Amino acid sequence: MSADNGRARLPMALEARESVHVECYVRSQLPGPVAERANTIVGRLRRLRDHDRLDSFRVVDWPPVHRHLEYSVSEPTRDELVRTFERWADRSEVTLEPAFRRRESLSSPLEGDELHGRLRVPVVALAVYDDVGPSETLCGVVPYTEPREQGQDRTVTVADWLAAVEPPELTGQVQVPKPTT
């Protein structure tokens, strides 16, 4: 961790925002232990909202890979959503890898020898939006990786980000008052 009290550098610090909304993207059909971890994250988001650190949050399944007839045209596909996340990462000088990964693979023998891109998304990811004005502005995606000059890149996980934005009263940490001079 960095020298800033173990807190991650947050390109989407909550203090700088007037109104914050978080979309919590979760893979569907999670096995028991993984579902418990996802539920813990949702509980932490709920506590942040209840303590006025977030204005709102919503838990949603990752969108489908392809547009289906029953899928709303106004909703982005998984690839469109991740491309938006990648634009944020480029502007913020971070990367979404290794949590998000694109791979090229050969199609099935029935489809020919074409290469197809496959997108792997994390089990849980957060999209942090600044809610002010007529439309939301994406101001962060978690997990992300900060490149370092020494080649020891640091990935900020959802748990890291939550710990960084949770006030001490939510984490059970005792704040020692600073001496007055």
Side-chain angles (χ1 to χ4, degrees), residues 9 11 82-97 138 141 144-145 147:
R9 176 182 73 89
V82 172
R83 275 198 299 260
T84 300
F85 292 173
E86 289 168 335
R87 284 191 296 274
W88 167 82
D90 288 343
R91 286 191 311 271
S92 301
E93 298 178 348
V94 299
T95 180
L96 299 178
E97 292 181 1
L138 180 65
V141 177
Y144 64 90
T145 300

Side-chain angles (χ1 to χ4, degrees), residues 139-157:
C139 57
V141 177
V142 183
Y144 64 90
T145 300
E146 299 173 334
R148 301 254 171 112
E149 290 180 20
Q150 310 301 345
Q152 297 178 357
D153 298 347
R154 184 177 73 134
T155 298
V156 176
T157 66

Side-chain angles (χ1 to χ4, degrees), residues 87-158:
R87 284 191 296 274
W88 167 82
D90 288 343
R91 286 191 311 271
S92 301
E93 298 178 348
V94 299
T95 180
L96 299 178
E97 292 181 1
F100 294 81
R101 187 169 289 143
R102 292 184 187 278
R103 290 191 179 151
E104 294 290 323
S105 61
L106 287 174
S107 58
S108 72
L110 297 175
E111 297 178 59
D113 291 337
E114 294 180 29
L115 283 176
H116 290 279
R118 297 199 184 266
L119 174 64
R120 190 195 76 184
V121 294
V123 172
V124 177
L126 304 178
V128 182
Y129 292 92
D130 192 341
D131 236 0
V132 178
S135 63
E136 296 178 325
T137 301
L138 180 65
C139 57
V141 177
V142 183
Y144 64 90
T145 300
E146 299 173 334
R148 301 254 171 112
E149 290 180 20
Q150 310 301 345
Q152 297 178 357
D153 298 347
R154 184 177 73 134
T155 298
V156 176
T157 66
V158 171

